[in-house]
Structures are given as C-alpha cells and as structure tokens.
Amino acid sequence: MSITYGALGGLVVEIVVFYGRIATWQAARHRALSRNRRRDKLPRFDKYIDPPSDALAALTRVSLGAGAGWLFSGQLTGALATVAVGASAPALLRQFGSARTLQAAIAGSQPEPAAPAASAGEEVLES
C-alpha cells in the first residue's frame, strides 16, 4: 500500500505543476486580450504544454514517488506521511545525490574532515 500512496504523492506534485502551467497560459491570454482585442494574437496552448515531455515527467514523478514510498515503508506510519514522502521524492533523491559523504562512499574514498571554523575576528594560520 505504501507504493500506491507514494505514487499518489508524486501525482499530486505533477497536478500542481500542471496547474501552474495552465495558470501561466491563462495569465498570458489575459495580458494579450488587455493589450489588443484580436483573438488571432493570443498565446497558443502548446507553447505552455508539451504533452510528450510533460507525460514523461509525470511518469517519472509518479515512479519516484512509488519508489520512495516503498523504500521508506518501514519507517512511515500512516498514509499521509507516505503521500508526503512520495511528493518529496525528487527533492529527497536530489539531496541524497548531492551529499558529499554519499559521493565519497560511491567513489570508494574516505570523506575529508571539515576544517575548524574561525571565530569572528580570528585569523586562521596554515603551516
């Protein structure tokens, strides 16, 4: 069931993104109508929606949501938490992918320890 709820979270995000594109198209039409009354100069719908790429992005978001729901199923209690993880799956994976320790583990090297931070007004001398 966690896979379904995770996929639903990904679908919710895609619906919000799609709505944003529709709202942008609508605003552009209103601006064009306020400038001139000719309907032949209105922005075309296909300038804002690209069905093949949008469908692929939706499928990817739903798949990532389902995968995150499955991956975190042991740690989640409740449908709402699983939907939230599914909705945030692309951001979670982006965060995991940018973590230096994860990149170091994949590369097989040890992460370098962080240098101590200098206090305000204190100079760091290197030898």
Side-chain angles (χ1 to χ4, degrees), residues 96-109:
F96 287 149
S98 66
R100 290 193 171 270
T101 56
L102 180 62
Q103 290 175 350
I106 291 172
S109 64

Side-chain angles (χ1 to χ4, degrees), residues 45-83:
F45 185 67
D46 61 354
K47 290 183 91 175
Y48 294 87
I49 304 296
D50 180 26
S53 66
D54 291 344
L56 184 60
L59 180 64
T60 303
R61 278 195 178 103
V62 169
S63 299
L64 287 173
W70 173 76
L71 187 64
F72 293 105
S73 63
Q75 299 164 352
L76 300 171
T77 56
L80 187 59
T82 310
V83 169

